[in-house]
Amino acid sequence: SAQGQTMYGGGSGQENGEFGIVDQITAEFTVLGDPTTGVDERALNGIAFGTDGRLWGSVSVGSSNGSPRLIEIDPATGARLNLVGTILAADSEVRIVDLALRPATNTLFGLDRDGLIYTIDTQTAQATLVGNPNVGSDRGGIAFGPDGT
């Protein structure tokens, strides 16, 4: 990692979705905030920066009383800036486990718990199925390099 660049991380604990900074030498996690508070308060699964500096997060739920959500996060404080909405594809909820943003197009992608890849509209949280890379369920993550690979 480049010197002076910040590594962010998110996670889940006792029904929370803490967001913070990860020390790149010691791996120590410093909590900045919990952007999932009030959003079914479960887990912050994926985070991804847009080319415009906006930070997106996917919130999952561990029970049947909540819905998967797309949120916008303030990277300086960890506060939720915006609750975009429930992540839906053809009116069915999509439980996203990781996010990645393609730099060349500023397109947000999500990997669901069944291993399917979706694009996600950052204005509406509407998901569109891209395909199945056969990674299996509850596995892996997705990412793009700065050059879009």
Side-chain angles (χ1 to χ4, degrees):
S1 61
Q3 184 176 3
Q5 292 185 344
T6 304
M7 179 184 287
Y8 294 95
S12 61
Q14 295 294 319
E15 294 196 12
N16 65 40
E18 294 173 339
F19 170 81
I21 296 171
V22 180
D23 184 295
Q24 296 177 44
I25 296 173
T26 66
E28 181 179 338
F29 184 70
T30 302
V31 175
L32 293 175
D34 183 349
T36 69
T37 299
V39 187
D40 300 325
E41 302 185 36
R42 296 295 185 259
L44 181 61
N45 280 345
I47 55 175
F49 274 97
T51 56
D52 57 3
R54 295 170 76 182
L55 179 61
W56 306 103
S58 60
V59 178
S60 70
V61 293
S63 65
S64 60
N65 65 352
S67 299
R69 307 293 177 94
L70 180 67
I71 61 173
E72 183 180 356
I73 302 167
D74 181 337
T77 66
R80 184 180 69 249
L81 294 174
N82 185 19
L83 171 59
V84 178
T86 301
I87 303 171
L88 297 172
D91 297 325
S92 294
E93 293 181 352
V94 180
R95 305 217 184 253
I96 298 295
V97 297
D98 198 14
L99 294 173
L101 196 123
R102 185 175 188 189
T105 61
N106 207 37
T107 302
L108 185 63
F109 285 79
L111 174 69
D112 83 352
R113 67 181 183 177
D114 294 322
L116 302 175
I117 301 280
Y118 292 84
T119 58
I120 303 170
D121 186 311
T122 57
Q123 300 298 312
T124 64
Q126 184 67 37
T128 302
L129 180 65
V130 173
N132 183 352
N134 294 316
V135 296
S137 61
D138 292 325
R139 292 190 175 97
I142 55 175
F144 286 98
D147 64 355
T149 57

